Amino acid sequence: METGIPEGTGSLEEQPVWRGLPPGLLRMRRLLLAVWTVVATLAAGLLPGLLAGPPWAVWALLPLAVAGWGWVLLGRNWRSWRYAERADDLLISRGVLWREETVVPYGRMQLVEVTSGPVERYFGLAGVQLHTAAAATDAKIPGLEPGEAERLRDRLTELGEARSAGL
């Protein structure tokens, strides 16, 4: 019988259900890029234009070109972030050129916190920070909606306590 699962990868229950980040994170990052591009464009175009003459104002195109490239890269980076809750661990995957996948066993989690800076709060976003015994495996999921961040924190804390590894 055809199950749609590649041979040798296990049952349907073992396949992680991946969740992406909400589009609010991409909107926030792109707005910040636009604000800083305006500042950089004014600095790169206005100052040389006033001090050295109008032909030097062409330097204002450089920040605009970099911002256009950054706009595309922000979208690719946002799409690369995802996370999945499995029975025994949390998977976090990110990266475009250098793919990074972090596996955090629930029993090794020491602290799960929800963080939200002033800009994130303005956009209605929060991040979940995971701390483990090994500093190298600390992980973060940025840009979640606050309700989802709190749900994830509560679930991870509950699963961590149930599967505590005696730390």
Side-chain angles (χ1 to χ4, degrees):
M1 181 169 97
E2 185 74 27
T3 62
I5 299 171
E7 186 110 5
T9 59
S11 69
L12 185 60
E13 290 77 40
E14 294 175 11
Q15 299 300 316
V17 177
W18 292 100
R19 296 175 145 205
L21 299 181
L25 178 65
L26 180 60
R27 275 194 301 274
M28 177 191 78
R29 288 180 175 175
R30 283 183 168 168
L31 181 64
L32 290 174
L33 175 67
V35 167
W36 285 110
T37 298
V38 168
V39 171
T41 301
L42 287 175
L46 192 60
L47 291 178
L50 290 175
L51 299 176
W56 287 92
V58 75
W59 284 104
L61 297 176
L62 183 62
L64 292 174
V66 170
W69 184 52
W71 189 275
V72 172
L73 292 181
L74 283 174
R76 289 182 62 186
N77 179 268
W78 171 76
R79 282 188 301 276
S80 76
W81 275 87
R82 59 190 188 150
Y83 66 98
E85 301 170 59
R86 294 194 305 185
D88 296 319
D89 51 31
L90 176 73
L91 302 174
I92 302 171
S93 179
R94 64 194 169 279
V96 177
L97 291 177
W98 286 272
R99 203 85 184 123
E100 189 173 327
E101 192 163 301
T102 305
V103 180
V104 184
Y106 297 134
R108 303 298 285 178
M109 290 183 200
Q110 292 184 330
L111 176 67
V112 182
E113 40 182 15
V114 174
T115 61
S116 185
V119 176
E120 288 175 312
R121 279 194 308 273
Y122 180 80
F123 282 92
L125 300 171
V128 174
Q129 178 75 44
L130 308 160
H131 299 279
T132 62
T137 59
D138 284 1
K140 181 174 182 166
I141 304 173
L144 297 173
E145 295 168 352
E148 171 63 10
E150 291 170 6
R151 182 206 65 83
L152 189 58
R153 177 201 57 207
D154 294 343
R155 176 158 164 69
L156 296 177
T157 303
E158 178 184 313
L159 290 168
E161 289 172 357
R163 291 175 175 83
S164 178
L167 295 176

